[in-house]
Amino acid sequence: MSSRECLLAYELLQEHYGKIVADVASFLLQNGWQPLRYIALKANLKLDQVRKALCLLIQHKLAKFHIRKRKIVEYAIDTENVLSILFHPKFIYTVKLLYGDAAELIVEEALQHGIILMSTAIKSVADRLPDENGSGKIEKAFKDLVQTHFLQREPEIEKNEEEENIVPIFTQNEADLYRLPTLSDESLKRKRSDDGSDEPKAKRLKSENGTPSTPTDTVEDDGVYWSVNISRFRQYFRDQSIVASVTQRFGTPCGEIVRAMLRISEVTTPANAQSTQPISSAEIARSLPQKLPMEHVEQHLKLLSNDEDQIVQLFDDSGSGGLYVVNLKNSALALSTATVLSYVQQRYGSKACRIFRLLMLKKHLEQKQVEEFAMIPPKEAKGYLYHMLAENMVIMQEVPRTPDHAPARTFYLYSVNIQRLSRILLVKCYKATLPDADEAQLEEIEEMMTSSERTSLTKHQHCCNKLHTAQNQLLNTIFVLDSYLNALSSA
């Protein structure tokens, strides 16, 4: 993990959970798996502070734990989930577009609490949406989020009466991951009355003589917690990026075909899968919102499968029309390559981008070959190559013809590495997301501003809108590059 990623993770955690939590996480990011007492000692924090910070991080899936030798529990930070905090507003906005205001608030509640009961989420959203007709619409929105896997069920603690475990052991059946509990209207009403009581739950469960009473009116989903499925959101964003790329290159019909293929297999394809499930051309044609003749669908599928990027591949040509898949690894490579090319085009110009594309195509070239193939004057070609070499956008490899490595008898070959460049650009994007000033500095600047400066600031408010747009584009770029690197690591 780069220093920029660590700094960004610290800033995100400090903004959302406070300095103590950020300090604990920063120590773990720098030192890896560590036990509780060692964290408190080296981070110069009280043991109780570290314990509470770790509980909060684990509840929000930002930290993980395991048992090492001598039954010592060690903790570490889940870096990917921490950096996913950047996308929380996008998660909320996405479900608002898909399922409405109730779903938006459900996901917001889940992100705020880390894990949450279905009944608690419905009750909280009902309090915030008084115009909704009862809890029926809210419960439907919750079910829609679960059925499309945007929410997932948390593992339950395994009860072992024979021996006491140092840490809880969680068990989860794959079939129960998206199984919903049945909530009655009476249980939701009891939940609201329980939450509205001023007495603690432990006191409410005791009779007047002080002996514990049997809770006959418990809510049906007690102990069944739910959380936001981050990998499902990433999958949805990836699918949207693939559809947009295909639409831009091949047109709307091809984009709709790829969208239909991804939608058919969206809940059956694992997050780390290399491709979708095989789908017949007839099933694809039936799933299109605007019906196309079967021969047109097959023509578009052949066009996509013959493309050099191989985003869509022919899986089996037997039967009528054959079976097709969307290759997710090739899609991630194509999206990342397009992002790198866009960066080269904007930073170095069209001629440099031509050289870059040439190196991608030919793999290794000498400077003279670059000049000839790119049809660029030698002085310009040399300048572009050296400029990109100085900024690590291209690689130069020495291939000596003699053991003495004499420059006159050495080949100097230029090449590019998309994986390496994706990592470089990702770090640049993380650097760009870091704030330039904290809240105290901004308040100090605001107090020092004169009336004329405030007037000038008002006139330039449209620049803020441009910055918000650029920030959204930056998040899309981060997602594309990170998805490609994750696809390579899971291959």
Side-chain angles (χ1 to χ4, degrees):
M1 188 179 186
S2 68
S3 60
R4 295 294 179 184
E5 289 173 293
C6 289
L7 183 57
L8 177 59
Y10 180 85
E11 294 289 345
L12 289 171
L13 291 171
Q14 185 179 23
E15 179 183 355
H16 288 82
Y17 306 107
K19 188 176 185 303
I20 294 177
V21 174
D23 289 341
V24 171
S26 178
F27 177 80
L28 292 176
L29 286 171
Q30 296 173 13
N31 298 277
W33 293 92
Q34 298 295 338
L36 173 64
R37 295 185 180 276
Y38 188 77
I39 298 171
L41 176 65
K42 293 299 181 180
N44 197 23
L45 294 170
K46 295 180 180 178
L47 193 64
D48 188 55
Q49 290 178 320
V50 176
R51 185 181 290 111
K52 290 179 179 178
L54 288 172
C55 286
L56 188 146
L57 290 167
I58 292 171
Q59 179 175 334
H60 288 265
K61 293 188 173 182
L62 304 176
K64 47 195 174 183
F65 58 88
H66 66 197
I67 301 178
R68 295 296 295 269
K69 56 184 179 181
R70 298 181 182 176
K71 294 186 177 181
I72 297 176
V73 183
E74 293 184 336
Y75 303 87
I77 295 298
D78 192 322
T79 309
E80 184 176 345
N81 284 356
V82 172
L83 295 178
S84 292
I85 295 175
L86 284 169
F87 297 92
H88 284 186
K90 195 170 183 178
F91 294 169
I92 296 170
Y93 182 68
T94 297
V95 296
K96 177 182 175 67
L97 293 179
L98 292 175
Y99 304 110
D101 295 340
E104 173 194 9
L105 295 181
I106 289 171
V107 171
E108 186 178 325
E109 290 287 335
L111 289 172
Q112 184 178 357
H113 291 84
I115 57 174
I116 194 169
L117 295 172
M118 179 179 177
S119 56
T120 303
I122 292 174
K123 186 263 176 186
S124 300
V125 174
D127 292 341
R128 297 174 64 181
L129 287 178
D131 295 336
E132 291 289 336
N133 185 16
S135 60
K137 291 183 179 180
I138 303 173
E139 186 174 355
K140 181 182 182 302
F142 194 101
K143 291 180 178 179
D144 289 339
L145 290 170
V146 173
Q147 288 170 358
T148 51
H149 296 186
F150 287 110
L151 292 179
Q152 64 182 3
R153 192 167 174 169
E154 283 295 293
E156 297 181 5
I157 298 178
E158 181 179 328
K159 296 180 180 179
N160 191 346
E161 299 178 354
E162 296 180 358
E163 58 176 309
E164 184 177 353
N165 296 315
I166 299 176
V167 296
I169 299 175
F170 296 96
T171 59
Q172 186 170 53
N173 189 349
E174 191 71 23
D176 295 337
L177 194 57
Y178 304 104
R179 183 171 61 84
L180 283 158
T182 303
L183 296 181
S184 62
D185 293 338
E186 289 77 9
S187 67
L188 290 175
K189 291 178 181 178
R190 285 197 299 269
K191 181 69 176 176
R192 291 170 187 165
S193 62
D194 288 345
D195 291 345
S197 176
D198 293 329
E199 290 185 334
K201 184 177 180 181
K203 288 187 177 180
R204 295 198 305 269
L205 293 180
K206 286 189 177 182
S207 59
E208 294 180 356
N209 59 7
T211 58
S213 62
T214 304
T216 58
D217 56 347
T218 57
V219 182
E220 289 94 328
D221 68 337
D222 277 349
V224 181
Y225 288 92
W226 299 85
S227 64
V228 172
N229 188 353
I230 295 177
S231 62
R232 177 66 181 93
F233 276 100
R234 294 176 64 87
Q235 179 187 354
Y236 178 81
F237 297 150
R238 178 203 65 197
D239 293 351
Q240 295 298 104
S241 300
I242 294 172
V243 172
S245 176
V246 171
T247 302
Q248 184 179 8
R249 290 188 59 193
F250 300 100
T252 303
C254 288
E256 290 302 319
I257 287 174
V258 173
R259 188 193 303 276
M261 295 176 68
L262 293 169
R263 186 176 297 160
I264 291 170
S265 58
E266 63 182 355
V267 295
T268 58
T269 302
N272 58 350
Q274 299 295 307
S275 62
T276 61
Q277 301 295 327
I279 308 168
S280 66
S281 56
E283 186 178 1
I284 296 171
R286 288 194 301 268
S287 302
L288 292 174
Q290 295 181 352
K291 301 303 179 183
L292 290 176
M294 191 62 195
E295 56 271 18
H296 289 182
V297 174
E298 293 179 353
Q299 289 174 3
H300 289 307
L301 286 170
K302 288 180 180 178
L303 173 65
L304 291 168
S305 61
N306 291 331
D307 180 60
E308 61 180 1
D309 288 338
Q310 288 289 285
I311 293 177
V312 175
Q313 292 179 325
L314 179 63
F315 180 79
D316 187 0
D317 58 357
S318 62
S320 177
L323 298 175
Y324 292 86
V325 297
V326 177
N327 191 307
L328 302 175
K329 183 179 179 180
N330 290 349
S331 301
L333 173 60
L335 291 171
S336 183
T337 301
T339 302
V340 173
L341 286 172
S342 177
Y343 175 82
V344 173
Q345 172 83 24
Q346 294 181 19
R347 181 164 181 81
Y348 305 104
S350 58
K351 291 184 179 179
C353 189
R354 191 193 311 170
I355 293 174
F356 193 89
R357 287 179 179 273
L358 184 62
L359 292 175
M360 288 177 54
L361 180 64
K362 299 294 185 179
K363 307 301 182 184
H364 296 87
L365 288 176
E366 291 185 276
Q367 180 180 322
K368 187 176 181 180
Q369 292 176 310
V370 170
E371 299 165 2
E372 294 174 353
F373 290 145
M375 295 183 290
I376 297 176
K379 186 176 180 179
E380 285 189 62
K382 181 179 179 180
Y384 288 129
L385 278 173
Y386 286 4
H387 189 188
M388 290 190 288
L389 181 64
E391 298 188 357
N392 297 317
M393 296 303 294
V394 299
I395 303 170
M396 185 179 68
Q397 182 180 2
E398 298 181 3
V399 182
R401 289 182 290 177
T402 56
D404 58 357
H405 288 260
R409 294 183 294 275
T410 301
F411 294 110
Y412 296 93
L413 302 179
Y414 293 90
S415 62
V416 296
N417 186 322
I418 296 297
Q419 180 180 356
R420 175 174 168 272
L421 292 177
S422 297
R423 169 55 61 183
I424 292 174
L425 294 185
L426 183 60
V427 172
K428 288 179 180 289
C429 290
Y430 284 139
K431 180 181 178 181
T433 58
L434 288 171
D436 295 325
D438 57 24
E439 293 295 331
Q441 291 174 323
L442 292 175
E443 291 178 2
E444 182 180 355
I445 293 172
E446 187 175 357
E447 291 175 357
M448 295 172 60
M449 290 176 62
T450 63
S451 58
S452 60
E453 289 173 337
R454 292 180 187 277
T455 304
S456 300
L457 183 63
T458 304
K459 293 179 180 179
H460 292 84
Q461 286 298 322
H462 69 279
C463 295
C464 294
N465 296 331
K466 291 184 178 179
L467 287 174
H468 286 306
T469 304
Q471 186 180 23
N472 291 332
Q473 182 59 46
L474 184 65
L475 292 179
N476 292 336
T477 303
I478 289 174
F479 171 75
V480 167
L481 297 173
D482 190 50
S483 297
Y484 169 61
L485 295 172
N486 286 337
L488 290 178
S489 61
S490 62

